[in-house]
Amino acid sequence: MRQSQLLIPTLKEAPAGAEVASHQLMLRAGLVRQVAAGLYTWLPLGLRVIRRIEAIIREEMDRSGAQEVLMPVVQPAELWQESGRWEKMGPELARLADRHERDFCLGPTHEEVITDLFRREVHSYRQLPCNFYQIQTKFRDEVRPRFGVMRAREFTMKDAYSFAADQASFDATYREMHDCYSRILRRMQLDFRAVEADTGNIGGANSHEFHVLAESGEDTIAYASEGGYAANLERAVAAPPPPRPTPGETLREVATPGRTTIAEVAQFLEVPVGRCVKALAIGGEDGPMLLILRGDHELNAIKAQKLPGVKQPLEFASEADIRTATGAGPGSIGPVGAEVPVFVDREAAALADFVCGANRDGHHLVGVNWGRDLLLDEAQVGDLRNVAVGDPAPNDQGELQFLKGIEVGHIFQLGDTYSQAMGASFLDREGKASVPIMGCYGMGVTRLVAAVIEQHHDAAGLRWPEALAPFDVHLVALNYGKSESVREAADRLLAELSAAGIEALLDDRPERPGVKFADADLLGLPKRVVIGERGLKQGCVEVRAGHGRDLEQVAPAEVKARLC
Ligand code: ATP
Ligand code: MG
């Protein structure tokens, strides 16, 4: 193709507001343009990359035995009411009414539609297991669309949904999808990790996310230094704490005037921060609730949200509500004598002789002990905190370490959540109605474009892996407009390469060589041929057969062979 005939609006500088490298480069190299927050138009080069990613995904999904379908973007509210998600989903679900005032939504995911298809069309165990996939537009009204197409509102996802007759059959499909995702990401030359993950709005018991490792990633992955354990920070656990020591101190109340933060209190009382507990007041269905954590630990909102009676989504109680419930301000509250529901992180529950707020302004309790000074029921104790670097990993796998990742895929063990709720069933071998076990498998096609760029760029621009480059070869023709010999050689090469099935982009624009080289570096196609008058006089063009490869002088007739 001729560059003069394609819209590739390159930019010298990164536009203001583009924070991460992939967003900057996608704008600079003319892959996308923003239409509104989280909504993008894909220009020719960007779309070609999407098509290559889709082709790899299709090949591997087909290889795994999945069948491709295409479901509508617009989905009737009735299906979402059946699954219970019409109520449960917040404003991320975009709802609309048609001209007859019937409710619909823009599909953020397709569990309901596929389960409806299954219950209508699949009837027998003989048709199982089955796995349906599509590559299609999703809409999610994200609170904070950002990082370009990485967190957009409209984006392309490959989503798949499997149905199995029994657990063993489901497990085999899940393993196959795990392998399939790994094959897809390896073909894209991505450095990635599969990790245990939280299931969020989709539900089900277990799930795994696939993360492309990148400093700019929004997710934190905790992994064991000596073993295979790896989990999203949202879900990661450390080894359980050692048993609680026996009490040594007596309980006393001390004045801590003006000290309200844990650091201030610990310093004032000369106790380590880790022996003070903090009380976080959150909104519960019947008024505030207290969460107790060690002073040096951070609350994990995803874990806390799963506690019984906690308001969804998690919110901190107002100062006024805290005062009404405890009689003190947020800096002086604690579990002793609290008349609201209390949940305790297991690390805080393992402390003896600790410090906590006295539920009286400007006062704290020291030498506090569970069991002796306040009751602690096992049902109140759980894992509520974010793990930290250096924590002991579960199952003696060394220490936890952190990495940053971009979530590009997420596979879920749904169990019978949707099939039960929506009454999907099939006749088993004995002719009895049985409920299928489901899985679902998402992969962000457009997010992958950005993730690939995060791992494949340098100071000058993009560095496409060969499997994903929008074109295989960049033919940079110097003085194309003025030099007959350059024009002839370049046109011939373009024709010859396309006849051989090699997709080439010919820079035939009337631009100076410096501009052409800068743009070629920015676009980052792996192979390059520079055609100039001086070289041609000596019977040569300049070929670079891949990123990081040396430049070679090659006779035009040999170019095709050198590039194959
Ligand atoms: P996140 O935690 O990043 O919001 P999610 O858990 O909501 O992701 P899933 O529901 O598992 O995502 O969707 C499957 C895949 O779709 C994700 O792994 C991701 O690659 C992609 N995806 C999800 N939300 C977006 C978005 N707003 N923009 C682009 N891609 C997205
Ligand atoms: Mg999301």
Side-chain angles (χ1 to χ4, degrees):
M1 281 199 131
R2 289 167 190 276
Q3 208 161 328
S4 61
Q5 285 159 35
L6 278 181
L7 181 63
I8 311 176
T10 56
L11 304 170
K12 282 212 183 68
E13 305 288 332
E19 298 163 63
V20 294
S22 57
H23 188 193
Q24 294 172 353
L25 286 168
M26 288 181 78
L27 293 169
R28 286 190 55 211
L31 304 187
V32 291
R33 284 296 180 262
Q34 183 179 299
V35 177
L39 304 176
Y40 288 85
T41 293
W42 289 81
L43 307 189
L45 281 192
L47 187 58
R48 291 178 77 96
V49 178
I50 291 189
R51 294 290 179 249
R52 288 207 157 172
I53 292 178
E54 288 176 347
I56 292 176
I57 292 178
R58 270 202 181 90
E59 257 180 57
E60 295 301 338
M61 288 301 293
D62 291 346
R63 196 193 307 279
S64 79
Q67 46 189 316
E68 187 169 2
V69 295
L70 187 57
M71 294 178 260
V73 173
V74 179
Q75 307 181 12
E78 289 79 23
L79 293 180
W80 286 72
Q81 281 152 355
E82 279 190 68
S83 71
R85 287 206 290 186
W86 188 256
E87 299 296 319
K88 209 165 126 194
M89 295 283 288
E92 200 173 296
L93 183 67
R95 301 158 207 249
L96 63 152
D98 70 3
R99 62 171 74 204
H100 309 296
E101 288 181 22
R102 287 184 52 193
D103 287 328
F104 290 84
C105 64
L106 298 180
T109 174
H110 281 71
E111 284 77 12
E112 283 80 359
V113 176
I114 199 77
T115 308
D116 182 52
L117 178 78
F118 181 96
R119 71 181 168 186
R120 289 166 190 270
E121 308 298 339
V122 182
H123 305 295
S124 161
Y125 73 93
R126 287 195 201 86
Q127 295 166 282
L128 300 183
C130 56
N131 193 7
F132 300 98
Y133 80 96
Q134 64 175 346
I135 296 179
Q136 196 243 29
T137 301
K138 298 280 185 273
F139 189 88
R140 296 180 180 182
D141 201 353
E142 297 275 353
V143 194
R144 264 189 85 196
R146 57 187 179 145
F147 303 150
V149 302
M150 198 98 88
R151 184 167 297 284
R153 294 198 292 171
E154 187 176 308
F155 58 97
T156 309
M157 197 201 287
K158 186 287 300 170
D159 44 331
Y161 306 87
S162 73
F163 297 83
D166 55 45
Q167 191 61 39
S169 161
F170 168 75
D171 290 344
T173 303
Y174 192 79
R175 265 197 310 277
E176 174 50 36
M177 290 308 293
H178 198 291
D179 290 350
C180 175
Y181 273 41
S182 303
R183 292 196 301 271
I184 291 170
L185 300 179
R186 274 199 298 271
R187 284 182 63 177
M188 297 186 189
Q189 288 183 36
L190 289 167
D191 183 14
F192 68 96
R193 287 251 181 158
V195 309
E196 292 178 19
D198 181 69
T199 55
N201 274 334
I202 308 282
N206 293 304
S207 74
H208 288 88
E209 287 170 349
F210 287 76
H211 284 270
V212 169
L213 303 181
E215 266 314 306
S216 58
E218 286 186 282
D219 285 83
T220 301
I221 298 165
Y223 69 98
S225 59
E226 295 159 33
Y229 179 75
N232 191 312
L233 181 62
E234 291 177 353
R235 166 145 175 155
V237 293
R244 185 192 307 147
T246 46
E249 300 174 15
T250 50
L251 177 72
R252 295 179 289 130
E253 185 179 277
V254 292
T256 48
R259 274 81 178 181
T260 52
T261 68
I262 287 284
E264 288 164 356
V265 171
Q267 194 187 23
F268 180 69
L269 298 174
E270 294 178 350
V271 233
V273 172
R275 211 143 53 72
C276 300
V277 302
K278 55 184 169 196
L280 303 170
I282 60 163
E285 277 151 15
D286 310 309
M289 303 168 59
L290 285 192
L291 304 181
I292 308 297
L293 282 104
R294 243 170 60 173
D296 55 342
H297 286 163
E298 225 176 67
L299 177 70
N300 180 309
I302 305 276
K303 293 176 183 175
Q305 222 158 250
K306 296 192 171 125
L307 293 170
V310 170
K311 243 200 211 158
Q312 313 285 331
L314 190 85
E315 57 181 43
F316 289 101
S318 68
E319 181 154 357
D321 285 349
I322 294 175
R323 204 164 272 288
T324 314
T326 66
S332 307
I333 56 176
V336 182
E339 282 168 8
V340 298
V342 175
F343 287 101
V344 184
D345 178 67
R346 59 185 186 165
E347 300 272 354
L351 290 177
D353 302 326
F354 61 88
V355 173
C356 64
N359 292 324
R360 189 175 156 213
D361 280 335
H363 289 78
H364 278 77
L365 300 174
V366 299
V368 188
N369 282 280
W370 300 110
R372 187 192 70 183
D373 306 321
L374 71 171
L375 289 178
L376 183 62
D377 191 282
E378 230 174 84
Q380 290 173 272
V381 181
D383 175 25
L384 302 181
R385 72 171 182 107
N386 281 337
V387 297
V389 171
D391 280 344
N395 306 320
D396 286 326
Q397 294 186 19
E399 289 185 348
L400 292 178
Q401 301 294 336
F402 284 5
L403 281 170
K404 284 285 182 189
I406 301 166
E407 181 202 319
V408 294
H410 199 167
I411 61 176
F412 298 81
Q413 302 174 3
L414 295 177
D416 61 4
T417 319
Y418 291 90
S419 29
Q420 278 286 6
M422 297 184 62
S425 68
F426 63 95
L427 292 180
D428 68 13
R429 216 171 271 277
E430 277 80 47
K432 278 205 327 275
S434 187
V435 176
I437 299 173
M438 288 177 62
C440 74
Y441 316 90
M443 187 169 255
V445 175
T446 40
R447 184 180 284 184
L448 268 166
V449 179
V452 167
I453 294 173
E454 288 295 324
Q455 284 193 355
H456 293 273
H457 72 270
D458 65 18
L462 302 165
R463 290 294 166 265
W464 291 112
E466 287 192 12
L468 301 178
F471 288 92
D472 302 314
V473 184
H474 209 161
L475 302 176
V476 182
L478 308 177
N479 261 323
Y480 180 90
K482 296 199 189 120
S483 161
E484 186 113 350
S485 62
V486 168
R487 197 158 54 238
E488 261 176 28
D491 288 352
R492 199 173 321 116
L493 267 176
L494 180 63
E496 210 184 311
L497 293 177
S498 24
I502 300 173
E503 297 203 76
L505 177 67
L506 168 60
D507 189 350
D508 57 344
R509 298 172 304 164
E511 295 286 358
R512 284 180 294 109
V515 172
K516 294 196 175 206
F517 285 123
D519 275 354
D521 284 345
L522 179 59
L523 300 190
L525 304 181
K527 296 173 182 171
R528 186 183 297 178
V529 180
V530 180
I531 305 141
E533 207 159 26
R534 205 176 317 151
L536 285 175
K537 277 198 186 119
Q538 285 150 23
C540 289
V541 294
E542 219 171 51
V543 173
R544 191 195 67 194
H547 294 305
R549 301 271 290 271
D550 289 337
L551 289 176
E552 299 170 82
Q553 304 297 327
V554 177
E558 304 296 319
V559 169
K560 192 180 82 187
R562 193 63 110 244
L563 293 178
C564 283

